[in-house]
Amino acid sequence: MTEGSDTIFSKIIRREIPAQIVFENDKVLAFRDISPQAPTHILVIPKQALKDLASAQPQDAALLGELLLAVAAIARKEGLEAGGYRVVINNGAGAGQTVFHLHMHILGGRKFAWPPG
Ligand code: AMP
């Protein structure tokens, strides 16, 4: 696995900067996006820093599964299932990634266009 560098998300994990945390277990942390792009916008991250999806290795399979299961559980708890929700991973700057610590966006509470912009 390629370690992510020390990002703003590492600081959130270490509680050095505040965040609105909605879910936490030993491997996963989820908090509200500071600049929401939908009525509900939550970021789900591994506590173990991984730079991006492309850096994931076979030994990260269980962690990736944990992240997806956390996404589904959080979306259910937030009441997003009925209306549908979108899950996004931006991989690389060209795709819009700005924080190089793997994260999944959960977006819900409004209609979404396809293809995405
Ligand atoms: P991405 O562009 O996919 O790398 O997503 C990074 C996301 O992190 C953006 O949606 C930002 O609004 C969000 N973000 C940046 N800093 C913070 C922060 N301190 N707390 C919560 N979300 C943040």
Side-chain angles (χ1 to χ4, degrees):
M1 159 192 107
T2 303
E3 294 284 340
S5 55
D6 201 52
T7 67
I8 195 150
F9 291 174
S10 308
K11 292 182 171 60
I12 289 173
I13 293 167
R14 295 196 299 263
R15 306 300 204 268
E16 289 170 10
I17 63 168
Q20 274 187 272
I21 292 169
V22 298
F23 173 85
E24 179 170 23
N25 67 19
D26 57 332
K27 297 190 185 68
V28 178
L29 184 70
F31 50 91
R32 296 194 191 280
D33 196 292
I34 204 167
S35 177
Q37 302 301 309
T40 300
H41 187 173
I42 292 166
L43 301 174
V44 183
I45 70 171
K47 288 187 172 174
Q48 171 189 324
L50 185 61
K51 170 165 87 81
D52 55 19
L53 183 63
S55 302
Q57 299 296 314
Q59 61 265 30
D60 299 316
L63 179 61
L64 295 176
E66 292 248 7
L67 287 166
L68 279 173
L69 288 171
V71 163
I74 293 162
R76 188 174 306 124
K77 191 166 151 230
E78 292 280 325
L80 301 178
E81 272 187 355
Y85 57 91
R86 183 162 288 175
V87 181
V88 173
I89 299 175
N90 294 322
N91 189 90
Q97 187 174 5
T98 57
V99 179
F100 290 86
H101 179 129
L102 176 64
H103 51 282
M104 298 182 182
H105 297 255
I106 306 174
L107 297 141
R110 67 167 170 84
K111 285 272 181 213
F112 294 93
W114 192 262

